[in-house]
Amino acid sequence: MTDERISTAFILEDFIEAQQWLIGALEIAFPGISIELADSIQSAKKVLTNTKIADINLIDLKLPDGSGLEILRDIKQRRRSARCVITTIYDDDKHLFPALAAGADGYLLKDQDQQLLADEMQRIRQNQPPLSPMIAKKIMGSFARETTLTLDEALTPRQLEVLRMIVQGDSIQNVANKLNISYHTAASHVRGIYEKLGVSNRAEVAAKAFDLGLS
């Protein structure tokens, strides 16, 4: 299990009240964190040009001059390891899955309790995706509503079981503990799933579900 250091943050959010809410959540999650702010696509581009890409980036989807996904893609292009978390009010599929497909490392709803937001953000340190409970349920529901014929053809029953667990945010060690198998065996299952589905992380697994028509 990793314990990733998070010391810098960037927030792209046009409402002052929401900015302050997110600042508070970040400061709870990562005491002493340095935070940069932007309230539009253009101001975000200026910040990203003049400063080093932050460790964690909280990105709203709807900005006065465009979509936050533009900035997400820019950040990922410049620093692949930077963590980008969508912070939004939109919980529907048409916003969720395109964001994951664009490379988002998490998806949080801003109307959550501030402590819950902070708790989810801290999951980044263990290389786990921050997902609001409603969003995690929606991702899992996309699997449940599908006949699973395509996934059944691609994955073994055990891999399907592991897949559902990792999409929910379980670490490899948690998978191993819950299934009473070794860490090495759990890791092998995860590698096999990623190889068969052509993905490299949990966010891409959810995006793959979208690509396969799961809704």
Side-chain angles (χ1 to χ4, degrees):
M1 178 181 293
T2 62
D3 189 6
E4 185 173 343
R5 177 169 172 75
I6 304 293
S7 61
T8 58
F10 170 63
I11 298 175
L12 175 54
E13 169 60 57
D14 58 326
F15 288 105
I16 294 177
E17 294 82 0
Q19 282 184 358
Q20 295 304 311
W21 188 249
L22 294 172
I23 288 171
L26 280 169
E27 290 176 340
I28 293 171
F30 313 108
I33 193 167
S34 175
I35 302 172
E36 293 280 351
L37 300 172
D39 60 4
S40 67
I41 301 298
Q42 289 305 311
S43 63
K45 289 180 177 180
K46 291 180 181 178
V47 171
L48 297 180
T49 298
N50 296 324
T51 61
K52 182 179 178 181
I53 299 297
D55 299 323
I56 183 171
N57 302 269
L58 306 184
I59 302 171
D60 192 13
L61 289 175
K62 299 286 187 179
L63 283 305
D65 54 350
S67 168
L69 294 186
E70 178 182 350
I71 298 302
L72 184 153
R73 295 188 185 99
D74 187 24
I75 290 172
K76 284 295 187 178
Q77 185 174 21
R78 294 178 57 188
R79 182 185 172 189
R80 186 64 183 172
S81 63
R83 301 312 179 99
C84 293
V85 179
I86 297 299
T87 50
T88 183
I89 60 172
Y90 298 102
D91 62 358
D92 55 282
D93 291 0
K94 73 176 184 179
H95 289 95
L96 168 61
F97 290 108
L100 296 178
D105 299 291
Y107 198 102
L108 297 174
L109 300 178
K110 290 183 290 190
D111 59 359
Q112 286 186 153
D113 177 82
Q114 195 175 59
Q115 181 63 57
L116 290 177
L117 276 176
D119 291 344
E120 283 298 322
M121 290 178 190
Q122 285 183 321
R123 291 163 66 87
I124 286 282
R125 297 179 60 188
Q126 281 73 48
N127 200 29
Q128 297 179 21
L131 296 170
S132 294
M134 181 183 298
I135 297 302
K137 180 182 286 189
K138 183 176 288 289
I139 291 172
M140 290 307 301
S142 71
F143 288 99
R145 291 193 299 270
E146 176 67 19
T147 63
T148 68
L149 178 62
T150 302
L151 288 176
D152 283 344
E153 290 175 343
L155 305 178
T156 67
R158 175 63 91 180
Q159 286 175 330
L160 283 170
E161 186 175 14
V162 172
L163 173 62
R164 291 186 173 91
M165 295 172 72
I166 62 174
V167 168
Q168 284 181 308
D170 280 316
S171 65
I172 294 176
Q173 187 61 63
N174 285 344
V175 170
N177 293 341
K178 289 180 179 180
L179 297 181
N180 196 27
I181 57 179
S182 70
Y183 180 93
H184 175 75
T185 299
S188 295
H189 285 314
V190 172
R191 283 196 299 272
I193 291 167
Y194 284 8
E195 289 174 3
K196 288 181 177 180
L197 297 184
V199 299
S200 60
N201 56 52
R202 290 179 177 85
E204 289 180 4
V205 166
K208 184 66 174 183
F210 177 70
D211 292 339
L212 292 173
L214 301 174
S215 60

